[in-house]
Amino acid sequence: MELMKEKFAKLLLGEDMSGGGKGVSSALALSNAITNLAASVFGEQRRLEPMAADTKARWKKEIDWLLSVTDHIVEMVPSKQKSKDGTNMEIMTTRQRTDLHMNIPALRKLDTMLLDCLDNFKDQNEFYYTSSKDDKDEKRQEDKWWIPVPKVPQNGLSEASRKWVQYQKDSVHQVLKAAMAINAQVLSEMEIPESYIEALPKNGRASLGDALYRIITDEYFDPDYFLSSVDLSSEHKIVDLKNKLEASVVIWKRKMTAKDNKSSWGSAVSLEKREIFEDRAETILLILKHRFPGLPQSDLDISKIQCNRDVGQAVLESYSRIIESLAFTVLSRIEDVMHADSLARNPSNAEQKKGPVTPIKTPEKTPTDKEENTAQTPTSMTLLDFMGWNLDSGDTEAKQDAQDDAATKNLNKPSNIDTNKKTTYIDRLENLGGLRSPTARD
């Protein structure tokens, strides 16, 4: 109880324990608290093994404290009440806000699924870890020298273990896609801060540069050609491109809503063309997010989070973000084991690129490098199966596998994407990832 009082006192003071009134907003303080808690709990998750019992207990206890704030973010809804004399009358009652009511339970379920996945590796005995210093893979030492290297038997994993590991990968991959969808949806609903808008250039050409602007506004637009024309050799350059694209999208949207052409946001370009340009930029942003799922936050995302004053949105954004981060980490550890197994069975693959979720080092690594095998796994399940939601149709799983196969082809060759049709984020996510957000909040 004393610890809880201390934590909530710090939140109320906006992380300024001096009481000088220089703290941050309650929304940002709560977002930082969830982020810091996750960093302290999951920051050392370098192996596929269960969390320590005391660490897991601490996580569940303290995340429950922080999420309890959302129980008091309510909205008024009509309800019927029966009086003592038997007459019915309509009154207004409070209910948890709709977005929180739908998303918090879903995120809790995804959280539990990840912890259960780690628990599943408790009794495995077919792979083990060595110190990275003992490994002869020089590239691994350079890229992830601090992460233990998984070792498998000389002939690789047994067939049963290989299928089981693939099943775990499928499970975590579904969690990752769901968390990404929820996080992106919440961020899209946050207001764009005025400070960000004031710092923008006056047109999309100034933001993108002449070369990229010509490609994205050309009559025939090919996202694959666009991405091949830019340098994606480092994480910094990818984030820089993302910042330019997001700035251009904001500029074009503001120009479309400008009431007066004499306004500083006015332009001679038609609304129809500007809408097409905006949709093309958003398509590239979505491809980047799926091709490089471990990217840091963009300038727009950081600005939204720092200036956001909605406590409910702050909780949803930070909680979905840390689940996305943990899922990415677990998926990377699973990929390490699968890569070691692949090398043991076929040493000639030693020079080949690794799988979909290794940290970004080269632009050739895409999130669909191995998904064709994933889609063919007999034990593959859909997100609806994991979440415990049932559909009336009995062929849901077959349809989902077909969508995943189609999604793989679309991501490997994004030039087939129709950019002249206005779609929502969720629509584009379905086209690229074969998954609809469980919240369906579009």
Side-chain angles (χ1 to χ4, degrees):
M1 183 63 70
E2 292 301 320
L3 179 60
M4 183 174 65
K5 288 180 179 178
E6 180 182 346
K7 287 187 175 293
F8 276 99
K10 185 177 181 180
L11 291 176
L12 289 171
L13 292 172
E15 301 176 347
D16 177 23
M17 298 301 287
S18 68
K22 298 180 180 180
V24 299
S25 67
S26 298
L28 182 57
L30 195 53
S31 176
N32 290 340
I34 294 176
T35 303
N36 294 336
L37 173 61
S40 65
V41 172
F42 302 120
E44 299 299 320
Q45 196 66 43
R46 302 176 182 178
R47 302 168 183 257
L48 288 176
E49 60 186 10
M51 291 176 58
D54 56 341
T55 304
K56 182 188 291 188
R58 178 195 165 205
W59 164 253
K60 291 183 176 181
K61 176 180 65 178
E62 296 193 18
I63 196 64
D64 281 346
W65 291 350
L66 298 174
L67 294 179
S68 67
V69 175
T70 61
D71 295 337
H72 306 279
I73 301 176
V74 297
E75 58 187 359
M76 303 296 293
V77 294
S79 178
K80 290 186 177 181
Q81 185 182 64
K82 192 172 185 179
S83 60
K84 294 181 179 180
D85 58 2
T87 60
N88 291 323
M89 57 182 177
E90 190 174 84
I91 61 172
M92 298 299 290
T93 58
T94 58
R95 183 184 65 187
Q96 187 179 33
R97 206 170 70 187
T98 303
D99 59 335
L100 300 172
H101 179 71
M102 298 183 68
N103 281 295
I104 294 296
L107 290 172
R108 283 183 177 274
K109 181 69 173 180
L110 296 176
D111 184 350
T112 302
M113 288 166 58
L114 285 177
L115 297 183
D116 290 345
C117 177
L118 291 175
D119 289 341
N120 291 338
F121 287 93
K122 178 180 180 181
D123 297 324
Q124 76 77 28
N125 54 11
E126 289 207 25
F127 66 86
Y128 59 96
Y129 289 90
T130 63
S131 171
S132 59
K133 295 181 180 180
D134 299 332
D135 191 74
K136 297 180 181 180
D137 188 348
E138 296 297 329
K139 186 177 186 304
R140 172 59 181 267
Q141 290 186 26
E142 294 175 3
D143 291 352
K144 300 184 294 183
W145 56 267
W146 64 92
I147 298 177
V149 180
K151 294 293 184 180
V152 298
Q154 186 175 2
N155 296 326
L157 300 173
S158 65
E159 187 64 25
S161 292
R162 189 175 300 119
K163 289 183 177 180
W164 181 80
V165 171
Q166 180 67 52
Y167 174 80
Q168 300 303 317
K169 179 195 170 188
D170 293 344
S171 304
V172 179
H173 192 243
Q174 295 287 349
V175 174
L176 175 62
K177 290 196 292 184
M180 287 173 62
I182 295 175
N183 184 261
Q185 189 68 30
V186 174
L187 282 171
S188 69
E189 294 174 358
M190 288 185 178
E191 293 184 3
I192 301 175
E194 287 297 326
S195 58
Y196 178 85
I197 295 174
E198 292 172 358
L200 290 176
K202 293 302 179 184
N203 55 64
R205 181 189 292 270
S207 173
L208 289 172
D210 291 339
L212 296 181
Y213 181 80
R214 281 195 298 270
I215 298 174
I216 208 169
T217 58
D218 190 38
E219 182 177 357
Y220 174 75
F221 173 68
D222 183 354
D224 194 31
Y225 175 72
F226 180 93
L227 293 174
S228 67
S229 65
V230 296
D231 185 2
L232 302 178
S233 59
S234 68
E235 186 178 87
H236 173 76
K237 293 177 180 177
I238 299 172
V239 174
D240 183 60
L241 173 62
K242 185 178 178 182
N243 288 332
K244 291 179 179 179
L245 289 168
E246 288 184 338
S248 301
V249 170
V250 174
I251 292 170
W252 286 326
K253 283 184 177 180
R254 287 187 64 84
K255 285 179 178 290
M256 285 190 291
T257 56
K259 297 180 180 179
D260 187 357
N261 287 334
K262 297 180 180 179
S263 165
S264 60
W265 288 99
S267 175
V269 181
S270 67
L271 294 178
E272 291 77 11
K273 286 187 176 180
R274 189 172 291 113
E275 188 174 10
I276 292 175
F277 300 161
E278 175 217 329
D279 196 59
R280 289 174 175 178
E282 289 185 336
T283 298
I284 297 173
L285 285 170
L286 187 62
I287 294 174
L288 286 175
K289 186 174 181 66
H290 281 259
R291 186 171 293 184
F292 307 104
L295 283 178
Q297 292 170 319
S298 65
D299 290 344
L300 177 58
D301 292 343
I302 293 174
S303 181
K304 283 183 173 182
I305 293 170
Q306 290 180 341
C307 299
N308 172 55
R309 294 294 183 270
D310 189 312
V311 174
Q313 287 183 334
V315 172
L316 288 178
E317 190 283 325
S318 56
Y319 194 25
S320 60
R321 171 162 41 85
I322 61 101
I323 290 177
E324 177 183 337
S325 177
L326 177 60
F328 178 80
T329 300
V330 174
L331 205 54
S332 296
R333 302 294 86 81
I334 294 176
E335 279 295 322
D336 289 341
V337 173
M338 297 178 71
H339 180 63
D341 175 57
S342 176
L343 293 183
R345 289 185 293 116
N346 189 358
S348 62
N349 292 336
E351 299 299 324
Q352 295 182 3
K353 300 291 181 183
K354 276 197 61 179
V357 297
T358 50
I360 300 167
K361 294 297 175 185
T362 59
E364 289 83 1
K365 297 178 184 177
T366 68
T368 55
D369 289 340
K370 292 186 179 180
E371 283 192 8
E372 292 181 0
N373 294 333
T374 301
Q376 300 299 327
T377 304
T379 54
S380 167
M381 298 176 67
T382 67
L383 178 65
L384 297 175
D385 298 321
F386 292 119
M387 298 298 289
W389 299 336
N390 298 319
L391 296 180
D392 294 334
S393 174
D395 58 349
T396 301
E397 186 168 347
K399 292 181 179 179
Q400 182 69 27
D401 289 339
Q403 287 178 344
D404 287 341
D405 289 339
T408 302
K409 297 178 182 178
N410 287 341
L411 256 181
N412 287 332
K413 187 168 181 61
S415 57
N416 295 328
I417 298 173
D418 181 9
T419 60
N420 294 322
K421 179 183 177 182
K422 188 64 178 175
T423 57
T424 65
Y425 173 86
I426 298 299
D427 295 329
R428 285 192 291 269
L429 187 63
E430 286 179 328
N431 292 335
L432 292 175
L435 171 72
R436 186 171 185 80
S437 168
T439 57
R441 292 168 56 215
D442 53 336

